[in-house]
Amino acid sequence: MPPREEVIVVGNTKVHLLIGGQGDPLLVLHGAGGNRGWRRWMAAVGEHYTVYAPTHPGFGRSDAADWMESIDDLARFYLWFLDVMGLSKVHLLGHSIGGWTAAELATMRPGVIDRLVLVSPTGLKPDEGEIRDIFFYPPEELLEYTVHDPTTVPEWAELFGGKPGLEEIEGALRNREMAARLTWKPYMFNPRLAHFLPRVQNPTLIVWGREDQIVPLICGEQYRRLLPNATLRVLERCGHLPPIERPDVFANLVLDFLRRA
Amino acid sequence: MKLYYFSEMPHHEFPDAEGDKYPSLRLAFPNTFFSPEIAHRNYQRYLDEYDFADQAGFDGLMINEHHSTPSCVNVSANMTTGILARTTKRAKLLILGNILPIQENPIQVAEQVAMADLISGGRVLSGFVRGVGVESWWANTNPVHNRERFEECHDLIIKCWTTPGPFRWEGRHYHFRHVNPWCLPLQKPYPPIWVPGTASPETAVWAGRMGYTYVPFLVSFEVARELFDFYRQGAAEAGRTVTPDKLGFLICAVTADSKAKALQAGRNFVWRMGPTLRGPLEYFSPVGMRSRAASQFALKARSVSLSKMSYEELVENYYIVAGTPDEVVDRFARVQKELGIGHLLLEAQESRMDHATTMRSIELMGKSVIPAMTRI
């Protein structure tokens, strides 16, 4: 089923939302790069689940939320979002800062989540190494660190191949500004999160790219250790964007995991 | 027109080829190239030059602050001002300025500026700046809050100087339960406030609204006039009349006994036009620091980057003034005529300009240029 676009209001904030597919609800929270639209992996997962893919406040065409300060603000916002949508229980999937948001949300109200999928999430301070400072690099250089091998990315041309128009440039700038607003200090982690993660008993799938140059793989191992029911799957020849770099493998991993519910 | 002496206190005693290996001299160039022995000598020298500028008759001494860069190792404007407050006798001490958005404790800034004002006998001019992006990285202050923090920090400092303590401050970015600084400025209600500008129309409008002295740095006459128009717009909103005393301008300048010597010395300013500003946009203007209006204005204001201009073009277009005292007087008079300003700030030492050249320039300014300025 093709996705439809909706605008819903949470508090005073209008949020753009893609809804597609059929089946039990799966809420998808995007990363710092913004909502990349209805992607190939979503279409595959959407054959069995209804995918809700909102654009975070401050990102893309959603309303600004300059009052927000941190990722746990965003997590609380999505708890409210679920209330507004009338979704009492969802599978929750988040990528990068969306994964961090999903993890925070799970620590706040684990009962609202069925199964949890964390894809290359930020949120924890690496035991070794550092999370790359994404705000320190020009976007084109950052993309080189983000994707392992562009030639293997099926949707590369569509996502990154063209020269961006004014609207896209403005959108990318908004995305970066809001990501900076939420993650600047401590950079990309919450020192308290590790203490709350053991509360999350939900079955959790953690997915990481072996070649991730943004968030070190060791963070995946830390999440696995801290979450009582978590499995870590590492994709070879893959960077920080598993859903984009390996869409078919990724979709199958997600489907296999969710079907066990 | 009043003249101000300014040195960035550079630390340019390293091979340029080493600096070229890194994305920028700011943030990225390792401090293994910093020499404490050289810096010790430099600080003594730079402070001597400031003292001499006071003796030579400059109306003011401008003091600034940067971080993580060899282009300016004056890492504390207030510390330098405290020293000069004691060693100089008559010049105004223009702190331009305290970088407000990166401050964690505005009350301490209020105290330090007040203390310098007290030591100097009321000679401080208190500049407030937003800083370049490098300073936000240095302090790890979120650049998306830069303007909000600038204004809130300013508001709290002014309140410290105008409202008897103790009082409480609960803002968005600053929270203090017991504000009661036991150090207040000699000048009442507080030292004159100055604000620099390079590209932000909002800052110019704000400075005009507040009635502060506004100083564009190293821009073309055309851009300076546009910024002054924004300033006047803000002043008009607040019902203020703009006098030349509220407008300043900053350029680089050196004089010498011959034109050839001055032009040779002036080449030292090229370093600050290019190599020290080289680097990714993200270093200088991190995400969220500039508004869309400021970004667009910056593109226009710097349609031709200073680094792309030849030395001759920089001289031709008044970014650098280098000549005999008579020539310098003529050039300064032209600047005043073009912009209608009351203050001309001279970056008068830079890069590898040696002590003797700097001192001779200060001496000649004092003998021949400053007296002529009283007629302009």
Side-chain angles (χ1 to χ4, degrees):
Chain A
M1 185 180 288
R4 64 181 192 278
E5 190 174 336
E6 288 191 8
V7 176
I8 66 152
V9 182
V10 180
N12 293 319
T13 306
K14 288 205 263 310
V15 173
H16 273 254
L17 172 68
L18 286 176
I19 305 175
Q22 55 192 351
D24 291 342
L26 168 67
L27 174 62
V28 174
L29 303 181
H30 64 74
N35 190 334
R36 300 183 196 276
W38 190 252
R39 304 269 47 94
R40 175 171 166 147
W41 74 271
M42 288 176 172
V45 171
E47 290 184 15
H48 304 278
Y49 296 91
T50 304
V51 175
Y52 294 79
T55 300
H56 304 330
F59 285 73
R61 286 185 290 153
S62 288
D63 275 355
D66 292 353
W67 52 272
M68 283 194 185
E69 298 277 342
S70 63
I71 288 291
D72 45 357
D73 287 343
L74 189 59
R76 271 191 289 276
F77 181 86
Y78 276 115
L79 284 171
W80 196 355
F81 169 95
L82 292 175
D83 293 344
V84 171
M85 296 296 293
L87 296 168
S88 56
K89 194 145 192 164
V90 295
H91 298 303
L92 176 60
L93 183 154
H95 170 242
S96 197
I97 68 166
W100 177 7
T101 309
E104 296 276 4
L105 188 155
T107 66
M108 293 171 188
R109 207 191 296 168
V112 81
I113 300 167
D114 192 339
R115 293 194 154 222
L116 178 63
V117 182
L118 304 178
V119 188
S120 324
T122 53
L124 295 176
K125 182 184 173 191
D127 286 344
E128 283 177 31
E130 295 168 348
I131 299 173
R132 187 177 293 276
D133 190 343
I134 63 170
F135 304 111
F136 204 54
Y137 298 93
E140 58 277 13
E141 187 179 348
L142 183 65
L143 188 58
E144 290 175 21
Y145 294 121
T146 305
V147 174
H148 174 56
D149 180 0
T151 64
T152 65
V153 177
E155 296 167 294
W156 179 267
E158 187 184 338
L159 284 169
F160 307 112
K163 193 174 175 205
L166 281 178
E167 193 179 341
E168 283 165 297
I169 291 171
E170 171 62 22
L173 198 54
R174 287 194 87 217
N175 293 346
R176 272 165 78 85
E177 285 176 357
M178 191 63 187
R181 186 176 291 282
L182 297 173
T183 67
W184 193 265
K185 188 165 72 175
Y187 174 65
M188 285 289 174
F189 72 93
N190 172 2
R192 296 170 297 283
L193 178 60
H195 298 278
F196 285 115
L197 284 175
R199 183 188 182 197
V200 181
Q201 300 283 333
N202 311 59
T204 302
L205 171 67
I206 304 163
V207 182
W208 226 277
R210 175 80 69 193
E211 317 295 339
D212 193 328
Q213 292 190 67
I214 304 292
V215 189
L217 174 55
I218 197 165
C219 290
E221 290 159 8
Q222 290 168 234
Y223 267 109
R224 183 182 52 75
R225 218 167 41 238
L226 290 161
L227 290 162
N229 289 305
T231 308
L232 171 64
R233 292 296 301 268
V234 180
L235 303 185
E236 305 298 331
R237 298 178 304 286
C238 181
H240 184 61
L241 303 181
I244 303 294
E245 294 180 65
R246 307 286 301 281
D248 301 333
V249 173
F250 178 76
N252 285 334
L253 267 180
V254 172
L255 284 171
D256 285 349
F257 174 70
L258 295 184
R259 278 179 187 141
R260 281 181 249 147
Chain B
M1 184 167 69
K2 292 175 178 167
L3 288 189
Y4 296 70
Y5 173 87
F6 166 48
S7 164
E8 282 216 291
M9 301 194 180
H11 187 311
H12 195 184
E13 290 85 1
F14 57 85
D16 287 323
E18 293 296 330
D20 293 344
K21 293 176 184 172
Y22 298 88
S24 177
L25 288 181
R26 307 203 189 210
L27 295 171
F29 185 47
N31 64 359
T32 47
F33 289 93
F34 177 86
S35 163
E37 293 74 23
I38 290 171
H40 164 70
R41 290 196 298 274
N42 279 351
Y43 283 127
Q44 301 298 327
R45 174 203 152 175
Y46 294 144
L47 291 167
D48 285 347
E49 288 165 0
Y50 268 118
D51 286 345
F52 188 48
D54 174 53
Q55 295 155 20
F58 275 88
D59 298 283
L61 309 176
M62 173 183 154
I63 303 122
N64 79 335
E65 171 178 327
H66 282 288
H67 301 277
S68 292
T69 174
S71 63
C72 174
V73 297
N74 191 353
V75 295
S76 171
N78 291 343
M79 184 184 289
T80 301
T81 305
I83 294 166
L84 295 176
R86 182 74 176 149
T87 61
T88 63
K89 302 296 178 207
R90 35 155 307 283
K92 297 286 187 186
L93 303 174
L94 169 58
I95 309 168
L96 203 56
N98 273 295
I99 308 163
L100 299 193
I102 65 172
Q103 302 296 332
E104 291 303 326
N105 188 342
I107 301 158
Q108 191 171 39
V109 177
E111 289 173 342
Q112 290 178 351
V113 173
M115 190 168 162
D117 195 50
L118 292 158
I119 295 170
S120 69
R123 287 187 284 131
V124 166
L125 306 172
S126 177
F128 294 142
V129 310
R130 290 178 61 204
V132 293
V134 171
E135 272 61 57
S136 287
W137 290 109
W138 171 79
N140 200 13
T141 309
N142 196 332
V144 304
H145 295 145
N146 185 280
R147 176 161 292 283
E148 289 173 16
R149 287 177 66 98
F150 175 82
E151 294 192 9
E152 188 179 335
C153 186
H154 159 274
D155 293 349
L156 178 48
I157 291 170
I158 298 296
K159 184 159 183 177
C160 284
W161 289 342
T162 55
T163 303
F167 62 85
R168 180 176 289 208
W169 184 275
E170 300 288 357
R172 172 159 188 192
H173 298 287
Y174 297 105
H175 307 271
F176 297 93
R177 300 214 284 277
H178 306 284
V179 185
N180 190 25
W182 261 77
C183 189
L184 295 167
L186 189 61
Q187 297 179 80
K188 294 299 170 198
Y190 45 80
I193 308 294
W194 288 44
V195 177
T198 53
S200 168
E202 294 99 326
T203 299
V205 171
W206 179 83
R209 203 178 292 137
M210 304 300 286
Y212 296 157
T213 301
Y214 179 67
V215 188
F217 279 12
L218 289 170
V219 294
S220 68
F221 289 156
E222 184 191 357
V223 169
R225 279 192 286 263
E226 276 193 69
L227 289 167
F228 286 148
D229 285 345
F230 283 117
Y231 178 87
R232 288 191 181 90
Q233 180 190 319
E237 284 170 19
R240 295 179 192 280
T241 306
V242 179
T243 56
D245 193 46
K246 294 294 181 190
L247 304 177
F249 193 57
L250 183 142
I251 58 174
C252 298
V254 63
T255 188
D257 294 298
S258 71
K259 182 165 189 171
K261 278 185 182 172
L263 283 170
Q264 183 60 32
R267 284 190 180 277
N268 285 291
F269 294 119
V270 174
W271 189 57
R272 67 100 58 240
M273 306 290 178
T276 72
L277 298 176
R278 179 178 61 82
L281 175 67
E282 285 71 17
Y283 290 21
F284 292 89
S285 183
V287 63
M289 183 159 164
R290 272 186 177 156
S291 68
R292 301 296 187 276
S295 295
Q296 282 169 6
F297 193 84
L299 279 178
K300 192 173 67 170
R302 289 271 183 257
S303 57
V304 180
S305 161
L306 294 179
S307 66
K308 296 279 190 293
M309 289 188 193
S310 67
Y311 177 48
E312 289 70 23
E313 285 173 309
L314 291 164
V315 170
E316 171 73 25
N317 291 291
Y318 288 78
Y319 295 98
I320 298 171
V321 169
T324 62
D326 286 348
E327 290 167 333
V328 166
V329 167
D330 288 347
R331 301 289 278 181
F332 289 178
R334 171 78 190 281
V335 173
Q336 202 286 330
K337 193 176 168 200
E338 289 283 342
L339 300 177
I341 54 174
H343 310 275
L344 187 60
L345 282 46
L346 307 179
E347 187 170 334
Q349 191 284 328
E350 187 50 277
S351 183
R352 296 178 179 130
M353 190 187 294
D354 63 40
H355 182 55
T357 304
T358 307
M359 294 294 269
R360 182 61 179 154
S361 178
I362 293 169
E363 186 181 3
L364 290 171
M365 291 273 188
K367 277 186 181 162
S368 307
V369 180
I370 293 168
M373 288 303 107
T374 58
R375 298 189 293 275
I376 293 171

